[in-house]
Amino acid sequence: MGLFDRFKRKPYDLDTLAGIEAIPVPAREEPNLDPVYYRLQRKATEHKKNGRLDLAIACLRKSNALSDYEARPPLLEKDYLRLVKYIESSGDKDLAEQERKKIYDRHPDFLDKRISNKKRVRETLDKCKSYGEDLVYITTKKSCPLCSPYNHKTFSISGKSKKHPKLPAKIVNEGGFCPNCIIGISISFDGIK
């Protein structure tokens, strides 16, 4: 039974601290976690508007914990950092900084996008190998002076193409050129746009 099923059968009280804290964070082995974290994010906004910052912070803390349960956390960096902003607005700067550190310790890829880029690059190169394809298409942030020269370009993995340059080793080995850019990579089939 997934968390969402339990949530439907036993509605948790999102209007009290005890109710929010009672929402279980399942064991890693438990399948089918449903997106209760989004409901908690919305409820946090409602609590903040109603002047219940303690409940808003509890909702965001639980939402982050549930998102961390997922193999690929669905919340974005800005979603995680809402907790820090809410704590800062309560006046507790030290606690806010501790939470920020915990978030970045758990998600180092928020500070350096090359970490997650490297994984995606490796997965795409493995797919290329299994399909017998040598070309990849790269997208990057067009405003970045380091990454923009590679934006919307096709590269050869092996470097044997006469038409396309070799995929830069920095993309393959390090996940890109700068810590702030997400690199998109996909298989490119020659002659197909």
Side-chain angles (χ1 to χ4, degrees), residues 28 67-74 119:
R28 275 263 175 218
S67 181
D68 283 344
Y69 163 82
E70 298 281 359
R72 284 182 79 177
K119 182 179 177 192

Side-chain angles (χ1 to χ4, degrees), residues 131-147:
Y131 294 150
E133 291 297 327
D134 185 51
L135 302 178
V136 290
Y137 185 74
I138 299 290
T139 56
T140 65
K141 191 186 282 185
K142 62 183 173 185
S143 61
C144 174
L146 294 173
C147 299

Side-chain angles (χ1 to χ4, degrees), residues 18-88:
I20 295 164
E21 289 174 352
I23 299 170
V25 176
R28 275 263 175 218
E29 302 80 38
E30 188 173 328
N32 301 323
L33 177 66
D34 291 298
V36 176
Y37 31 81
Y38 290 127
R39 194 167 174 186
L40 286 161
Q41 290 274 325
R42 287 192 305 275
K43 196 66 174 177
T45 302
E46 181 184 315
H47 284 312
K48 185 179 180 202
K49 284 180 184 173
N50 293 328
R52 299 294 316 266
L53 202 52
D54 59 332
L55 295 178
I57 289 169
C59 282
L60 293 176
R61 207 175 247 127
K62 185 62 74 168
S63 176
N64 287 2
L66 290 169
S67 181
D68 283 344
Y69 163 82
E70 298 281 359
R72 284 182 79 177
L75 294 182
L76 302 173
E77 178 180 10
K78 67 181 179 69
D79 300 322
Y80 277 96
L81 292 177
R82 282 183 72 204
L83 173 60
V84 174
K85 286 181 185 176
Y86 279 33
I87 294 171
E88 283 174 345

Side-chain angles (χ1 to χ4, degrees), residues 166-186:
K166 182 170 175 50
L167 181 64
K170 223 163 171 52
I171 291 175
V172 176
N173 300 328
E174 297 174 33
F177 301 94
C178 79
N180 301 319
C181 293
I182 294 173
I183 295 210
I185 182 168
S186 58

Side-chain angles (χ1 to χ4, degrees), residues 66-112:
L66 290 169
S67 181
D68 283 344
Y69 163 82
E70 298 281 359
R72 284 182 79 177
L75 294 182
L76 302 173
E77 178 180 10
K78 67 181 179 69
D79 300 322
Y80 277 96
L81 292 177
R82 282 183 72 204
L83 173 60
V84 174
K85 286 181 185 176
Y86 279 33
I87 294 171
E88 283 174 345
S89 69
S90 77
D92 195 340
K93 305 290 184 203
D94 290 336
L95 181 59
E97 195 49 46
Q98 288 172 10
E99 284 295 334
R100 182 186 321 276
K101 184 178 177 343
K102 277 199 278 190
I103 290 168
Y104 286 131
D105 285 348
R106 283 193 308 263
H107 302 282
D109 52 310
F110 289 166
L111 291 174
D112 190 342

